[in-house]
């Protein structure tokens, strides 16, 4: 089976989510990559070094600059004439593009896979991760999005792929990019962090969130996350949100501070290796998944913890 | 301009789903069902556009069992003008749903189609994108802001690093994210009024598309259970644990 992996990149670098997708794709067969964007020669070079990669198709065109699905999908469809599976990291860009490709190929997408059980069998979470379905695809070609935290990352060095340029299918003329507001992060990125400190509604307001959660995170070299309640209340921007509708994370250590543990939130973090909960309500559902729990007032516990680390 | 809003009847988001003992699926017997939360946001957005004078009519459509009528009545009570139920007892996958919706759009010719970004039962996050592909129209997925600009629509999208704004020519497909709006509750008088709003009953066969499933669900299992945790008495004990895990120096 020949797979085509869509390379997610940013600022001239391949993003980690791509490396997990490569691992998943390698379980299906020969791995080819697609690097699409504007001025992406550097990205293509970096992509060719990913371990186990064969051909790297590069499409360099201003129309592909912001990964607009309307322009990327026809290009992928053209390349799929020669591939059996299109494998995409389940990032916001991946989730935007892949179903458009699937429909153009007239196949059902398999979303957010957790494992590859055979060349047409996969497991995936449903009902906010409360059930795991094993599905078998009857389609001749597969379109698959990959949950990054479920697969090891392929080594970013050691490969010797061959770079080959492909002609862009151009601008579909349906959409245009206007602008972006990218949140500045001084800390590790949520989806790739080893340690995450997350705050919930109990933090009271944005200022308190910053005063309590950020110093603790910095002591641990951790990324900062939040529950939907904290995001909706405006304590932190929405890209901090961990959950079914936010980011799915699986760090070594996840510290939930003042988070009750609604199923929506658990869906985003319950595959963390060690979960630590700090909550004053000892009946909070978060304690049912926590490996280590501390029942106490976060306004006292968190400063003390930060101090003692 | 007409707005088309597809809605789905799903398990209520507060209910913890139980996997059936025989591994064939999730037990939905006697479980509270509601409108998919993202679809409520889609209905709300369509109604707001109508209230602003940007839309003339809001048509809601659902594909599913006879009881999906209740979901459509809820949307009518929120302010939608009329409803279409494509009734089937079979489970229809996102690709099939998108094909049926594409046919509905051929009949309706809506300027915008607003869907939820994903349904909280199958968590696929596909239907809107697939519909856009089948219609050859642009897509504004994971929208947190929608503004009409003449013949175009400006959509602010929630992406991994923050927000991104795109401009789409209409007709366009938009999928809603949580922060787009706060859906209204239907008032009792509006619930009564909704009962007399038109609801057309259709069958998948009326549209002549192949919606046979492409994915076979081999089994459904409970996720691996986490082993029971321990409670620590104080911060010192927690610090010691963190140190033993190598997280803290």
């Amino acid at each position: 089976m020949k797979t085509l992996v869509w390379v997610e990149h940013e600022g001239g670098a391949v993003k980690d989510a791509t490396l997990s997708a490569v691992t998943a794709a390698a379980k299906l067969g020969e791995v080819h990559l697609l690097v699409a964007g504007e001025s992406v020669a550097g990205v293509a070079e970096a992509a060719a070094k990913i371990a186990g990669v064969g051909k790297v198709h590069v499409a360099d065109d201003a129309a592909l600059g912001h990964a607009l699905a309307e322009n990327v999908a026809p290009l992928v469809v053209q390349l799929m004439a020669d591939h059996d599976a299109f494998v995409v990291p389940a990032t916001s860009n991946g989730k935007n593009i892949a179903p458009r490709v699937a429909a153009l190929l007239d196949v059902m997408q398999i979303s957010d896979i957790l494992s590859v059980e055979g060349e047409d069998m996969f497991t995936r979470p449903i009902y906010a991760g409360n059930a795991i379905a094993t599905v078998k695809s009857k389609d001749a070609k597969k379109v698959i999005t990959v949950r990054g935290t479920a697969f090891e990352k392929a080594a970013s060095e050691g490969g010797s792929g061959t770079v080959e340029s492909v002609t862009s299918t151009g601008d579909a003329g349906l959409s245009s990019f206007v602008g972006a507001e990218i949140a500045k992060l001084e800390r590790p990125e949520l989806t790739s962090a080893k340690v995450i400190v997350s705050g919930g509604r109990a933090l009271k307001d944005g200022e308190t969130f910053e005063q309590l959660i950020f110093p603790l995170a910095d002591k641990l070299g951790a990324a900062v996350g939040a529950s939907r309640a904290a995001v909706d209340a405006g304590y932190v921007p929405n890209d901090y949100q961990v959950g079914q509708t936010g980011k799915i994370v699986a760090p070594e250590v996840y510290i939930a501070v003042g988070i009750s543990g609604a199923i929506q939130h658990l869906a985003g973090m319950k595959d963390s290796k060690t979960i630590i909960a700090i909550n004053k309500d000892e009946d909070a559902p978060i304690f049912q998944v926590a490996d280590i729990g501390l029942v106490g007032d976060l306004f006292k516990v968190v400063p003390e913890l930060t101090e003692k680390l | 301009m007409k707005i088309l809003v597809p809605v789905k009847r799903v398990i209520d988001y507060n209910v913890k789903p139980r996997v059936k003992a025989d591994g064939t699926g999730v037990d939905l017997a006697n479980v509270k069902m509601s409108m998919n939360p993202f679809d409520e946001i889609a209905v709300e957005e369509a109604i707001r556009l109508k209230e602003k004078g940007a839309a003339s009519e809001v048509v809601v459509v659902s594909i599913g069992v006879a009881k999906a009528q209740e979901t459509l009545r809820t949307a009518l009570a929120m302010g939608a003008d009329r409803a279409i139920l494509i009734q089937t007892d079979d489970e229809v996958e996102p690709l099939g749903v998108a094909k049926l919706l594409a046919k509905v759009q051929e009949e309706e010719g809506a300027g915008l189609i607003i869907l939820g970004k994903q349904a909280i039962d199958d968590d696929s996050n596909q239907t809107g994108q697939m519909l856009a592909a089948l219609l050859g129209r642009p897509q504004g997925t994971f929208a947190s802001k929608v503004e009409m600009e003449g013949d175009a629509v400006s959509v602010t999208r929630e992406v991994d690093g923050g927000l991104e704004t795109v401009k789409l020519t209409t007709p366009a497909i938009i999928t809603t994210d949580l922060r787009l709006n706060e859906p209204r509750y239907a008032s009792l008088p509006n619930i009564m009024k909704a009962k007399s709003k038109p609801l057309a009953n259709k069958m998948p066969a009326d549209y002549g598309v192949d919606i046979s499933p492409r994915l076979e669900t081999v089994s459904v299992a409970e996720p691996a259970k986490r082993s029971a945790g321990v409670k620590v008495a104080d911060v010192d004990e927690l610090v010691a644990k963190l140190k033993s895990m190598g997280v803290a120096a």
Side-chain angles (χ1 to χ4, degrees), chain B residues 82-102:
Chain B
R82 68 187 161 86
I84 302 165
L85 173 64
I86 305 174
Q87 196 177 321
T88 171
D89 287 335
D90 299 330
E91 208 158 302
V92 188
E93 292 170 344
L95 182 63
V97 170
K99 286 180 179 178
L100 288 170
L101 292 175

PDB file of all heavy atoms in Angstrom, chain B residues 82-102:
ATOM      1  N   ARG B  82     -39.048  26.669   8.654  1.00  0.00           N
ATOM      2  CA  ARG B  82     -39.648  25.396   8.299  1.00  0.00           C
ATOM      3  C   ARG B  82     -38.604  24.285   8.364  1.00  0.00           C
ATOM      4  O   ARG B  82     -37.398  24.562   8.467  1.00  0.00           O
ATOM      5  CB  ARG B  82     -40.325  25.465   6.923  1.00  0.00           C
ATOM      6  CG  ARG B  82     -39.430  25.620   5.767  1.00  0.00           C
ATOM      7  CD  ARG B  82     -40.246  25.854   4.467  1.00  0.00           C
ATOM      8  NE  ARG B  82     -39.402  26.426   3.467  1.00  0.00           N
ATOM      9  CZ  ARG B  82     -38.633  25.705   2.648  1.00  0.00           C
ATOM     10  NH1 ARG B  82     -38.639  24.385   2.715  1.00  0.00           N
ATOM     11  NH2 ARG B  82     -37.844  26.298   1.774  1.00  0.00           N
ATOM     12  N   ALA B  83     -39.114  23.043   8.311  1.00  0.00           N
ATOM     13  CA  ALA B  83     -38.223  21.913   8.556  1.00  0.00           C
ATOM     14  C   ALA B  83     -38.427  20.816   7.519  1.00  0.00           C
ATOM     15  O   ALA B  83     -39.508  20.689   6.931  1.00  0.00           O
ATOM     16  CB  ALA B  83     -38.479  21.357   9.954  1.00  0.00           C
ATOM     17  N   ILE B  84     -37.365  20.054   7.314  1.00  0.00           N
ATOM     18  CA  ILE B  84     -37.430  18.888   6.436  1.00  0.00           C
ATOM     19  C   ILE B  84     -36.855  17.700   7.218  1.00  0.00           C
ATOM     20  O   ILE B  84     -35.752  17.800   7.764  1.00  0.00           O
ATOM     21  CB  ILE B  84     -36.594  19.097   5.151  1.00  0.00           C
ATOM     22  CG1 ILE B  84     -37.070  20.336   4.385  1.00  0.00           C
ATOM     23  CG2 ILE B  84     -36.615  17.847   4.268  1.00  0.00           C
ATOM     24  CD1 ILE B  84     -36.093  20.826   3.327  1.00  0.00           C
ATOM     25  N   LEU B  85     -37.609  16.612   7.294  1.00  0.00           N
ATOM     26  CA  LEU B  85     -37.086  15.392   7.917  1.00  0.00           C
ATOM     27  C   LEU B  85     -36.898  14.341   6.835  1.00  0.00           C
ATOM     28  O   LEU B  85     -37.832  13.995   6.112  1.00  0.00           O
ATOM     29  CB  LEU B  85     -38.056  14.861   8.980  1.00  0.00           C
ATOM     30  CG  LEU B  85     -37.663  13.486   9.566  1.00  0.00           C
ATOM     31  CD1 LEU B  85     -36.346  13.554  10.327  1.00  0.00           C
ATOM     32  CD2 LEU B  85     -38.767  12.948  10.469  1.00  0.00           C
ATOM     33  N   ILE B  86     -35.675  13.870   6.710  1.00  0.00           N
ATOM     34  CA  ILE B  86     -35.411  12.746   5.809  1.00  0.00           C
ATOM     35  C   ILE B  86     -35.339  11.519   6.710  1.00  0.00           C
ATOM     36  O   ILE B  86     -34.365  11.313   7.431  1.00  0.00           O
ATOM     37  CB  ILE B  86     -34.115  12.955   5.002  1.00  0.00           C
ATOM     38  CG1 ILE B  86     -34.189  14.294   4.240  1.00  0.00           C
ATOM     39  CG2 ILE B  86     -33.894  11.791   4.040  1.00  0.00           C
ATOM     40  CD1 ILE B  86     -32.913  14.675   3.520  1.00  0.00           C
ATOM     41  N   GLN B  87     -36.431  10.748   6.675  1.00  0.00           N
ATOM     42  CA  GLN B  87     -36.591   9.718   7.697  1.00  0.00           C
ATOM     43  C   GLN B  87     -36.002   8.374   7.290  1.00  0.00           C
ATOM     44  O   GLN B  87     -36.274   7.850   6.208  1.00  0.00           O
ATOM     45  CB  GLN B  87     -38.088   9.545   7.995  1.00  0.00           C
ATOM     46  CG  GLN B  87     -38.332   8.807   9.296  1.00  0.00           C
ATOM     47  CD  GLN B  87     -39.807   8.704   9.622  1.00  0.00           C
ATOM     48  OE1 GLN B  87     -40.557   9.665   9.401  1.00  0.00           O
ATOM     49  NE2 GLN B  87     -40.227   7.565  10.122  1.00  0.00           N
ATOM     50  N   THR B  88     -35.170   7.841   8.203  1.00  0.00           N
ATOM     51  CA  THR B  88     -34.603   6.520   7.989  1.00  0.00           C
ATOM     52  C   THR B  88     -34.219   5.927   9.330  1.00  0.00           C
ATOM     53  O   THR B  88     -33.808   6.649  10.236  1.00  0.00           O
ATOM     54  CB  THR B  88     -33.361   6.566   7.063  1.00  0.00           C
ATOM     55  OG1 THR B  88     -32.744   5.277   7.082  1.00  0.00           O
ATOM     56  CG2 THR B  88     -32.335   7.593   7.499  1.00  0.00           C
ATOM     57  N   ASP B  89     -34.347   4.612   9.463  1.00  0.00           N
ATOM     58  CA  ASP B  89     -33.926   3.942  10.693  1.00  0.00           C
ATOM     59  C   ASP B  89     -32.478   3.485  10.596  1.00  0.00           C
ATOM     60  O   ASP B  89     -31.888   3.044  11.569  1.00  0.00           O
ATOM     61  CB  ASP B  89     -34.830   2.742  10.999  1.00  0.00           C
ATOM     62  CG  ASP B  89     -36.204   3.205  11.478  1.00  0.00           C
ATOM     63  OD1 ASP B  89     -36.294   4.337  12.003  1.00  0.00           O
ATOM     64  OD2 ASP B  89     -37.181   2.457  11.309  1.00  0.00           O
ATOM     65  N   ASP B  90     -31.921   3.572   9.371  1.00  0.00           N
ATOM     66  CA  ASP B  90     -30.534   3.157   9.200  1.00  0.00           C
ATOM     67  C   ASP B  90     -29.599   4.259   9.667  1.00  0.00           C
ATOM     68  O   ASP B  90     -29.930   5.438   9.591  1.00  0.00           O
ATOM     69  CB  ASP B  90     -30.232   2.867   7.720  1.00  0.00           C
ATOM     70  CG  ASP B  90     -31.097   1.738   7.195  1.00  0.00           C
ATOM     71  OD1 ASP B  90     -31.457   0.857   8.001  1.00  0.00           O
ATOM     72  OD2 ASP B  90     -31.437   1.767   5.989  1.00  0.00           O
ATOM     73  N   GLU B  91     -28.425   3.856  10.102  1.00  0.00           N
ATOM     74  CA  GLU B  91     -27.434   4.844  10.452  1.00  0.00           C
ATOM     75  C   GLU B  91     -26.819   5.377   9.156  1.00  0.00           C
ATOM     76  O   GLU B  91     -26.420   4.603   8.290  1.00  0.00           O
ATOM     77  CB  GLU B  91     -26.363   4.207  11.327  1.00  0.00           C
ATOM     78  CG  GLU B  91     -25.727   5.226  12.247  1.00  0.00           C
ATOM     79  CD  GLU B  91     -25.089   4.556  13.442  1.00  0.00           C
ATOM     80  OE1 GLU B  91     -25.794   3.847  14.181  1.00  0.00           O
ATOM     81  OE2 GLU B  91     -23.878   4.748  13.599  1.00  0.00           O
ATOM     82  N   VAL B  92     -26.799   6.680   8.995  1.00  0.00           N
ATOM     83  CA  VAL B  92     -26.231   7.261   7.778  1.00  0.00           C
ATOM     84  C   VAL B  92     -24.897   7.916   8.134  1.00  0.00           C
ATOM     85  O   VAL B  92     -24.821   8.730   9.047  1.00  0.00           O
ATOM     86  CB  VAL B  92     -27.192   8.291   7.142  1.00  0.00           C
ATOM     87  CG1 VAL B  92     -26.662   8.740   5.782  1.00  0.00           C
ATOM     88  CG2 VAL B  92     -28.594   7.717   6.997  1.00  0.00           C
ATOM     89  N   GLU B  93     -23.853   7.543   7.415  1.00  0.00           N
ATOM     90  CA  GLU B  93     -22.515   8.088   7.678  1.00  0.00           C
ATOM     91  C   GLU B  93     -22.389   9.516   7.137  1.00  0.00           C
ATOM     92  O   GLU B  93     -23.153   9.913   6.260  1.00  0.00           O
ATOM     93  CB  GLU B  93     -21.470   7.210   6.969  1.00  0.00           C
ATOM     94  CG  GLU B  93     -21.351   5.824   7.562  1.00  0.00           C
ATOM     95  CD  GLU B  93     -20.502   4.899   6.693  1.00  0.00           C
ATOM     96  OE1 GLU B  93     -20.277   5.234   5.505  1.00  0.00           O
ATOM     97  OE2 GLU B  93     -20.067   3.857   7.216  1.00  0.00           O
ATOM     98  N   PRO B  94     -21.402  10.269   7.628  1.00  0.00           N
ATOM     99  CA  PRO B  94     -21.218  11.640   7.137  1.00  0.00           C
ATOM    100  C   PRO B  94     -21.227  11.768   5.610  1.00  0.00           C
ATOM    101  O   PRO B  94     -21.821  12.710   5.077  1.00  0.00           O
ATOM    102  CB  PRO B  94     -19.856  12.028   7.717  1.00  0.00           C
ATOM    103  CG  PRO B  94     -19.784  11.278   9.005  1.00  0.00           C
ATOM    104  CD  PRO B  94     -20.471   9.959   8.740  1.00  0.00           C
ATOM    105  N   LEU B  95     -20.599  10.826   4.899  1.00  0.00           N
ATOM    106  CA  LEU B  95     -20.589  10.922   3.436  1.00  0.00           C
ATOM    107  C   LEU B  95     -22.012  10.831   2.872  1.00  0.00           C
ATOM    108  O   LEU B  95     -22.392  11.597   1.986  1.00  0.00           O
ATOM    109  CB  LEU B  95     -19.699   9.825   2.825  1.00  0.00           C
ATOM    110  CG  LEU B  95     -19.563   9.850   1.292  1.00  0.00           C
ATOM    111  CD1 LEU B  95     -18.894  11.130   0.807  1.00  0.00           C
ATOM    112  CD2 LEU B  95     -18.778   8.629   0.797  1.00  0.00           C
ATOM    113  N   GLY B  96     -22.805   9.911   3.421  1.00  0.00           N
ATOM    114  CA  GLY B  96     -24.198   9.764   2.991  1.00  0.00           C
ATOM    115  C   GLY B  96     -25.022  10.990   3.333  1.00  0.00           C
ATOM    116  O   GLY B  96     -25.831  11.469   2.531  1.00  0.00           O
ATOM    117  N   VAL B  97     -24.808  11.505   4.551  1.00  0.00           N
ATOM    118  CA  VAL B  97     -25.512  12.715   4.977  1.00  0.00           C
ATOM    119  C   VAL B  97     -25.163  13.869   4.039  1.00  0.00           C
ATOM    120  O   VAL B  97     -26.046  14.607   3.578  1.00  0.00           O
ATOM    121  CB  VAL B  97     -25.148  13.071   6.444  1.00  0.00           C
ATOM    122  CG1 VAL B  97     -25.683  14.443   6.821  1.00  0.00           C
ATOM    123  CG2 VAL B  97     -25.696  12.017   7.401  1.00  0.00           C
ATOM    124  N   ALA B  98     -23.875  14.007   3.734  1.00  0.00           N
ATOM    125  CA  ALA B  98     -23.442  15.094   2.851  1.00  0.00           C
ATOM    126  C   ALA B  98     -24.093  14.964   1.474  1.00  0.00           C
ATOM    127  O   ALA B  98     -24.501  15.958   0.870  1.00  0.00           O
ATOM    128  CB  ALA B  98     -21.915  15.106   2.736  1.00  0.00           C
ATOM    129  N   LYS B  99     -24.224  13.728   0.980  1.00  0.00           N
ATOM    130  CA  LYS B  99     -24.847  13.524  -0.339  1.00  0.00           C
ATOM    131  C   LYS B  99     -26.322  13.911  -0.319  1.00  0.00           C
ATOM    132  O   LYS B  99     -26.826  14.530  -1.262  1.00  0.00           O
ATOM    133  CB  LYS B  99     -24.690  12.064  -0.773  1.00  0.00           C
ATOM    134  CG  LYS B  99     -23.273  11.743  -1.218  1.00  0.00           C
ATOM    135  CD  LYS B  99     -23.145  10.294  -1.651  1.00  0.00           C
ATOM    136  CE  LYS B  99     -21.717  10.030  -2.117  1.00  0.00           C
ATOM    137  NZ  LYS B  99     -21.519   8.638  -2.515  1.00  0.00           N
ATOM    138  N   LEU B 100     -27.010  13.531   0.764  1.00  0.00           N
ATOM    139  CA  LEU B 100     -28.425  13.916   0.878  1.00  0.00           C
ATOM    140  C   LEU B 100     -28.561  15.431   1.000  1.00  0.00           C
ATOM    141  O   LEU B 100     -29.413  16.049   0.348  1.00  0.00           O
ATOM    142  CB  LEU B 100     -29.068  13.228   2.090  1.00  0.00           C
ATOM    143  CG  LEU B 100     -29.307  11.721   1.959  1.00  0.00           C
ATOM    144  CD1 LEU B 100     -29.706  11.118   3.303  1.00  0.00           C
ATOM    145  CD2 LEU B 100     -30.400  11.445   0.919  1.00  0.00           C
ATOM    146  N   LEU B 101     -27.705  16.030   1.826  1.00  0.00           N
ATOM    147  CA  LEU B 101     -27.777  17.484   2.010  1.00  0.00           C
ATOM    148  C   LEU B 101     -27.466  18.228   0.711  1.00  0.00           C
ATOM    149  O   LEU B 101     -28.044  19.282   0.442  1.00  0.00           O
ATOM    150  CB  LEU B 101     -26.818  17.932   3.113  1.00  0.00           C
ATOM    151  CG  LEU B 101     -27.177  17.477   4.537  1.00  0.00           C
ATOM    152  CD1 LEU B 101     -26.070  17.876   5.518  1.00  0.00           C
ATOM    153  CD2 LEU B 101     -28.520  18.060   4.991  1.00  0.00           C
ATOM    154  N   ALA B 102     -26.565  17.682  -0.090  1.00  0.00           N
ATOM    155  CA  ALA B 102     -26.239  18.317  -1.373  1.00  0.00           C
ATOM    156  C   ALA B 102     -27.488  18.356  -2.249  1.00  0.00           C
ATOM    157  O   ALA B 102     -27.748  19.340  -2.946  1.00  0.00           O
ATOM    158  CB  ALA B 102     -25.096  17.573  -2.063  1.00  0.00           C
TER     159      ALA B 102
END
